Amino acid sequence: MEKRMEMNHSEIGIAVNQKEIYRYLGYGANEPDSAVRMLVDEVLSELLAVIMPKHIYKFYECRTDDESVFMEHMQINSRNLSGNLSQCDTVVLLAATLGLEADKLLQRYEVVNMAKASIVQACAAACIEAYCNLIQENIRFEVQKKRGVPLFIRPRFSPGYGDLPLETQKDIFRELDCTKRIGLTLTQNLLMYPTKSVTAFIGLTQNPENCHIEKCKRCGKLDCAFRS
């Protein structure tokens, strides 16, 4: 059973899908005009030049019933998370952040250029998602190589999704020691700082039908702009 912590202090070549940025800006499946595309290119280049992403993760054995997830000494009461991990024997706790520079860039543009501030928000949201995608694919490849069998990733599931309480952030921060290890802090309102950060449960399964590509099929938010 893998039980390893790891963190990364470099940008490691995040590949951002610009269509995701356009979605965050409210264009849906449409593409903005050339002026907006040029502005997105400019802001994204500026953002990627200053961010210092970091992450940490840890492996746990897990089992589920209809109501809860059991991870060694932890019990998470959530039907939605249990359904997400129902065919997984291993779950990864992940915390990742773009770092303070993303917040500083946003704050600067909020003072001098609100249009660019909106684009920084969208670019940073797409960047942290791309960073998490890269991390989880590296995790999948590493564990698959060690086990010698094909593995598939369940959709990332974060506190505040569905019926998973936001208070679960406290458990994740305690388990991963996020503040000490990657400088990620939790406010009294259970919000993270730096703001462009993610914590999540990631299940590993041998069932290809549970591939994360199909995540929209299991989500109940029918009016989401990202629903495929």
Side-chain angles (χ1 to χ4, degrees):
M1 172 63 194
E2 302 82 9
K3 279 180 142 180
R4 185 173 60 82
M5 285 189 173
E6 180 173 307
M7 55 185 171
N8 191 332
H9 296 272
S10 63
E11 187 252 308
I12 62 172
I14 300 173
V16 182
N17 184 342
Q18 293 212 1
K19 289 184 178 180
E20 295 301 297
I21 298 175
Y22 302 152
R23 288 188 180 187
Y24 282 117
L25 286 170
Y27 287 93
N30 300 316
E31 193 167 281
D33 61 33
S34 59
V36 173
R37 295 198 305 271
M38 289 178 62
L39 203 54
V40 167
D41 289 343
E42 177 186 336
V43 170
L44 180 59
S45 295
E46 186 175 4
L47 180 66
L48 289 173
V50 298
I51 59 175
M52 296 183 64
K54 301 176 184 178
H55 71 270
I56 186 167
Y57 61 83
K58 188 175 181 180
F59 294 94
Y60 295 82
E61 293 180 350
C62 75
R63 63 180 179 83
T64 64
D65 61 21
D66 290 341
E67 302 285 342
S68 303
V69 177
F70 304 91
M71 301 162 49
E72 298 175 14
H73 57 280
M74 298 173 62
Q75 177 177 336
I76 310 296
N77 298 319
S78 165
R79 292 179 63 90
N80 296 148
L81 180 62
S82 176
N84 181 279
L85 301 175
S86 63
Q87 298 188 43
C88 303
D89 63 3
T90 301
V91 63
V92 179
L93 275 188
L94 168 70
T97 181
L98 295 184
L100 288 171
E101 295 306 318
D103 286 83
K104 291 179 181 178
L105 185 64
L106 175 60
Q107 290 162 7
R108 183 162 74 247
Y109 279 128
E110 284 177 337
V111 173
V112 301
N113 190 324
M114 281 305 299
K116 277 194 172 181
S118 297
I119 294 175
V120 172
Q121 282 276 21
C123 289
C127 280
I128 189 63
E129 287 298 308
Y131 185 49
C132 289
N133 289 342
L134 178 61
I135 294 165
Q136 70 180 31
E137 182 58 24
N138 288 341
I139 291 171
R140 185 197 66 79
F141 178 80
E142 176 187 334
V143 179
Q144 178 175 277
K145 184 177 180 181
K146 182 175 289 189
R147 293 187 180 181
V149 295
L151 288 175
F152 301 87
I153 294 286
R154 294 294 295 123
R156 291 190 298 275
F157 207 103
S158 296
Y161 287 4
D163 66 351
L164 181 62
L166 196 57
E167 286 77 9
T168 311
Q169 293 281 39
K170 295 178 181 179
D171 298 315
I172 296 176
F173 269 69
R174 183 184 65 250
E175 287 294 312
L176 297 182
D177 199 6
C178 296
T179 302
K180 179 179 179 180
R181 300 299 295 272
I182 60 173
L184 183 57
T185 60
L186 194 63
T187 71
Q188 289 185 337
N189 294 327
L190 303 176
L191 302 177
M192 291 182 287
Y193 188 79
T195 60
K196 297 309 176 186
S197 305
V198 167
T199 57
F201 297 81
I202 305 172
L204 297 173
T205 177
Q206 294 184 46
N207 184 354
E209 294 183 0
N210 280 342
C211 177
H212 68 286
I213 293 173
E214 298 183 349
K215 58 187 176 182
C216 289
K217 293 182 180 179
R218 289 181 172 267
C219 177
K221 188 170 175 56
L222 300 178
D223 60 345
C224 176
F226 294 89
R227 191 172 183 85
S228 57

